[in-house]
């Protein structure tokens, strides 16, 4: 059984789906691992390291995926890439159904199975497979560093013979995994940190890391530990209450996202206009449209006295450890779809069911079916075997 690891095709992507250490474990399990030449170079993993791990090196993308039973990527494939994949292949990666409709249609026509880390159920048993969280950890850390690098002031307090320098005031908006890591990083750098989230549970988490929680009276508890989308009235109340908090901050780091939807606007143009000289906004949600109205993905925009940094693909900026974490998520999830190098998905497992977008070409995910204009064919778990003794009784 061939497991293929092609080079990521997204512009600027530096991560690789499987690092040599995990490639060795896959080989030991019985997989024939094929890696495209140079796939891991940007993440500091050489072709030689993969060969030492027991993998084969292929010259290009086409020869890498030729005859593959499983293809593992970080980002989802393009329609052109999908057209080169073998019929019936299993593709495992991050997937946003609304953004990859054409590629999904190509894979569906090939009777392929598509598995997405975006859809992993938020249960304890799935934590070791949670690539969203592992990559968000990298993103939050990088956001804290980016804030310190872009701010024209010190983060920590300094007491010197020339006078005392007050610590920077940092506001983290969105206290998920990325937000918590941004809090921890900013605190380690010595900043005075506040945090805001619409989920009640976020207060205790933020305070445990030394942040002051900002309670604006707007709550939006969603399913699975996520925030739900706010109503227009709630958005208006939130923005009115946030205006003064944002204006009084040297740094605002935004991390808020609602799964499957455009990133919510938290920081309006008017809020940016009221920020003080040298202040900055680090928008980690730039790839999803941005939490700030001023944000332009991949650019730093000057507005009034403030600068707005639109961070794109933050984990790619720290590709070694981002790949290191992601590849562990890959092998842990793959174990539910295989057995000693053979594909044997456990279709009774809620994690397998939840992460599967396409099953042998059928659209198993409701959101993907709607986006594709296709029939939704949910996975029906097989009936448990009947115990002979029970049947006789």
């Amino acid at each position: 059984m061939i497991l293929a690891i092609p080079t990521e095709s997204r512009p600027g992507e530096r991560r690789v789906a499987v690092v040599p250490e995990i490639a060795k474990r896959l080989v030991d399990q019985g997989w024939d691992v094929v890696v495209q030449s140079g796939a891991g170079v940007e993440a500091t993993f050489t072709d030689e390291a993969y060969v030492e791990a027991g993998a084969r090196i292929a010259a290009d993308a086409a020869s890498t995926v030729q005859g593959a039973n499983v293809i593992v990527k970080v980002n989802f494939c393009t329609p052109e890439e999908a057209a080169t994949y073998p019929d019936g292949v299993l593709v495992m990666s991050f997937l946003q159904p609304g953004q990859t409709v054409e590629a999904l249609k190509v894979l569906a026509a090939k009777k392929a199975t598509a598995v997405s880390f975006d859809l992993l159920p938020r249960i304890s048993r799935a934590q070791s497979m949670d690539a969203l969280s592992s990559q968000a950890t990298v993103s939050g850390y990088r956001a804290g560093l980016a804030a310190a690098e872009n701010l024209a002031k010190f983060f920590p307090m300094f007491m010197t013979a020339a006078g005392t320098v007050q610590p920077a005031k940092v506001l983290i908006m969105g206290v998920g995994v990325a937000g918590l890591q941004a809090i921890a990083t900013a605190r380690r750098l010595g900043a005075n940190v506040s945090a805001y989230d619409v989920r009640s549970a976020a207060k205790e988490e933020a305070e445990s890391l030394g942040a002051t929680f900002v309670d604006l009276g707007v709550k939006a508890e969603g399913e699975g530990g996520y925030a739900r989308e706010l109503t227009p009235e709630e958005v208006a109340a939130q923005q009115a209450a946030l205006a003064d908090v944002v204006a009084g901050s040297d740094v605002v780091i935004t991390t808020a996202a609602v799964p499957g939807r455009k990133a919510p606007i938290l920081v309006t143009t008017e809020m940016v206009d009221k920020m003080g000289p040298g202040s900055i906004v680090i928008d980690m949600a730039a790839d999803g449209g941005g939490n700030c109205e001023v944000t332009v993905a991949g650019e730093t925009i000057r507005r009034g006295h403030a600068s707005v940094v639109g961070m794109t693909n933050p984990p790619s900026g720290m590709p070694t450890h981002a790949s290191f974490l992601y590849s562990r998520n890959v092998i842990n999830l793959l174990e539910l779809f295989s057995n000693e190098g053979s594909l044997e998905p456990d279709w009774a497992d809620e994690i397998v069911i939840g992460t599967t977008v396409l099953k042998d070409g059928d659209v198993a995910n409701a959101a993907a079916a709607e986006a594709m204009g296709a029939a939704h064919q949910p996975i029906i778990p097989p009936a448990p075997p009947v115990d002979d003794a029970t049947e006789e009784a």
Side-chain angles (χ1 to χ4, degrees):
M1 299 288 285
I2 297 175
L3 187 146
I5 306 161
T7 300
E8 296 296 318
S9 58
R10 177 181 177 178
E13 181 60 75
R14 300 171 64 199
R15 290 172 291 177
V16 63
V18 173
V19 302
E21 176 190 328
I22 299 303
K24 184 180 187 308
R25 288 175 57 185
L26 291 168
V27 170
D28 291 343
Q29 290 177 4
W31 291 100
D32 178 10
V33 178
V34 182
V35 182
Q36 184 175 344
S37 180
V41 169
E42 289 293 323
T44 72
F45 302 110
T46 64
D47 288 354
E48 290 75 17
Y50 284 104
V51 171
E52 290 176 5
R56 295 190 288 121
I57 301 298
D60 52 32
S63 55
T64 301
V65 302
Q66 184 177 6
N69 304 98
V70 177
I71 298 172
V72 183
K73 289 174 55 65
V74 177
N75 303 289
F76 202 64
C77 58
T78 66
E80 294 75 20
E81 288 172 323
T84 68
Y85 291 177
D87 291 348
V89 70
L90 185 149
V91 182
M92 182 178 289
S93 69
F94 280 116
L95 167 63
Q96 292 287 346
Q99 301 173 12
T100 54
V101 170
E102 295 308 315
L104 283 173
K105 289 179 178 179
V106 175
L107 289 178
K110 288 177 170 286
K111 303 298 182 184
T113 296
V115 177
S116 176
F117 283 101
D118 300 274
L119 304 175
L120 195 78
R122 306 289 285 187
I123 58 177
S124 297
R125 189 167 61 87
Q127 289 181 352
S128 66
M129 313 163 198
D130 190 354
L132 277 175
S133 290
S134 74
Q135 301 307 291
T137 296
V138 182
S139 297
Y141 177 72
R142 285 207 62 235
L145 296 182
E149 182 178 1
N150 283 272
L151 187 66
K153 305 175 182 179
F154 289 126
F155 257 42
M157 172 185 283
F158 279 108
M159 301 180 69
T160 75
T164 299
V165 176
Q166 295 300 318
K169 297 178 181 178
V170 177
L171 172 65
I172 312 294
M173 303 179 72
V175 188
V177 174
L180 289 170
Q181 189 56 236
I183 290 171
T185 303
R187 286 282 296 163
R188 284 193 292 265
L189 292 171
N192 186 340
V193 182
S194 299
Y196 168 70
D197 198 289
V198 292
R199 298 173 299 114
S200 300
K203 181 177 188 296
E204 183 177 346
E205 296 171 343
E207 290 177 345
S208 71
L209 291 173
T212 300
F213 190 75
V214 179
D215 190 348
L216 303 179
V218 179
K219 307 296 182 186
E221 308 290 349
E223 296 181 359
Y226 292 106
R228 63 169 171 80
E229 189 172 21
L230 297 176
T231 66
E233 293 76 18
E234 289 171 328
V235 170
Q238 177 194 60
Q239 293 181 352
L242 274 174
D244 291 340
V245 181
V246 171
S249 302
D250 298 306
V251 176
V252 176
I253 299 176
T254 65
T255 73
V258 178
R261 297 181 182 272
K262 182 182 180 297
I265 295 296
L266 301 179
V267 181
T268 64
T269 302
E270 290 74 18
M271 291 182 194
V272 176
D273 288 342
K274 292 178 181 179
M275 294 181 74
S279 57
I280 59 171
V281 176
I282 303 293
D283 194 339
M284 286 177 52
D287 284 324
N291 293 142
C292 177
E293 282 187 324
V294 178
T295 297
V296 176
E299 297 185 20
T300 298
I301 303 298
R302 182 78 177 185
R303 173 85 189 189
H305 298 301
S307 297
V308 179
V309 181
M311 292 188 75
T312 57
N313 196 6
S316 179
M318 199 160 282
T320 301
H321 278 155
S323 301
F324 176 90
L325 296 172
Y326 182 79
S327 61
R328 278 158 179 72
N329 301 139
V330 166
I331 194 169
N332 290 331
L333 181 57
L334 184 61
E335 286 178 352
L336 300 182
F337 286 84
S338 61
N339 181 30
E340 296 183 354
S342 297
L343 277 178
E344 296 180 18
D346 182 0
W347 295 117
D349 191 298
E350 64 178 311
I351 297 175
V352 172
I353 294 172
T355 54
T356 300
V357 179
L358 300 177
K359 179 180 182 288
D360 299 327
D362 295 333
V363 188
N365 177 268
E370 181 179 357
M372 296 169 66
H376 177 213
Q377 301 187 46
I379 298 170
I380 307 299
V386 178
D387 183 79
D388 291 340
T390 303
E391 191 174 52
E392 289 174 5

